[in-house]
Every structure is written in structure tokens, then in C-alpha cells.
Amino acid sequence: MYLFHELRNRGASPGFSKRVRLDKRRRVSSVEELLKCWTLLLNFGHLEGTFECERAWFELLKEDQELFNKFLECLPDDACRGIARKYFDDENYYKFHEILVLLFLKYYEPRHQTSAYPVDMFILMIKRFLVDAPKASTIKRCKAIFRRVRKIAYIILDSTFFTSYVKINPKVFFDYIFCNSDDVLYEDYSNFNKTLDSISLSVYNDWTLALR
């Protein structure tokens, strides 16, 4: 969230103040707000404990068709159920928390019209993140920015636990991002992002070896 705030605050990435349309009648006040909401809401889907807790529930649902059907019934709508089925068909337990967000939000959905929390808006935000968006749309651009910044954040956090040679100076890293935001956020094959992908692979290999 700090990176999103600074990118807008420093004027590093034009368009962060632009309003985002979620559907015909609902909008988010800015790109920055949507990115921050995605950050908070997607974390809401993680279960207490380690990643293996989520994987265990994923495997349980995959093996028990009756339980899986009950699980699907608890999701907000058919579009959400379709996303869940795809994740389970692909055995993509890394994204299980994205479905759990929808489940939890549906549980907290108010039974009355008046509520201090716009749960239906939160559900719509997550659906816009999960469902494919038109190539040139603002939502598509927001998703690309979110995924890139999330990867950067994970690498910076995980780098403190590296056993490999890779060490990152957060200040230098951030200064480069703010001064070269277009290169970082929008150019998939820039030298920075090629390096980022290499570091990400190194992190993955590091953790894989540690778990053996």
C-alpha cells in the first residue's frame, strides 16, 4: 500500500487519480483506491496459519464432491462459482484465498439495506480482479499494476530470508521504481522486469530447497 501511495504522491505514474468504473452504476474514486482495496481484500482470504492450511482445505474440497458443491452454493453468484471451478480444475491452490475472500464477504453481507460496510461493493471489486477484462480497459491496466507491485513487495520482504547471494537495498529499489515507473509498471520485457523475474525465480528455488 505504501508503494501505491508513493507512486501517486510523487506523480510517478499518471492516471492514479482517475476514477474507475466497476459496472454501469458503481465506480471507485481512483485507481489508487482500487489498488489499495484489492490489497486489503485479497489478504482477507488467507486462513490463519501457514499456506499448508489453505492447501489442506483445498485438497479436502477437491476430494469431497458433496462438500465442494456446498462450498460453491455459499459463493455470491454463478460467475464466482465458475471462477472457483476453474481454480479447482487447474488445481491452482495458490489462488484458493481469492475464492475464500468471496466466501467470507458473502457471509458478512448485510441482511438489511443499511450497512456501514459496502460488502456488495467489495465483492464486485474482487470479481473485477478475478474476471478477465478487455485488453485496453482501465481495470486491465489496474490488474497489471497490482500484480507487478505485489511481486516487488513480496521480493523485498522475502529477500531478508534469502540464503542465496541476492541482497536488495530497499531504498535504492524504491528510488528506481519511482523514477522509472513506466518502465517498471508497463513494460513487461524491460531490463528491470527481466531482472525482477529472475530474482522471483531465485526466491522460489530458495524456498523450495528450504522445504525439502
Coordinates of all heavy atoms in Angstrom, one line a residue, residues 32 41 74 89 145:
E32 N -5.8 4.5 -7.4 CA -5.1 4.2 -6.1 C -6.0 3.5 -5.1 O -5.6 2.5 -4.5 CB -4.5 5.5 -5.5 CG -3.8 5.3 -4.2 CD -3.5 6.6 -3.5 OE1 -4.1 7.6 -3.8 OE2 -2.7 6.5 -2.5
L41 N -8.5 -6.6 0.6 CA -9.5 -7.6 0.5 C -8.9 -9.0 0.2 O -9.4 -10.0 0.7 CB -10.5 -7.2 -0.6 CG -11.4 -6.0 -0.3 CD1 -12.1 -5.5 -1.5 CD2 -12.3 -6.3 0.9
C74 N -22.3 -21.4 -1.4 CA -22.0 -20.3 -0.5 C -21.4 -19.1 -1.2 O -21.3 -18.0 -0.5 CB -21.2 -20.7 0.7 SG -21.9 -22.0 1.8
D89 N -10.3 -27.1 -11.1 CA -9.9 -28.0 -12.3 C -8.4 -27.9 -12.6 O -7.8 -28.8 -13.0 CB -10.8 -27.5 -13.5 CG -12.2 -27.9 -13.4 OD1 -12.5 -28.8 -12.5 OD2 -13.0 -27.3 -14.1
I145 N -0.8 -3.4 -13.0 CA 0.0 -2.6 -12.0 C 0.0 -3.3 -10.6 O 1.0 -3.5 -10.0 CB -0.7 -1.2 -11.8 CG1 -0.5 -0.4 -13.0 CG2 0.0 -0.5 -10.6 CD1 -1.3 0.9 -13.0

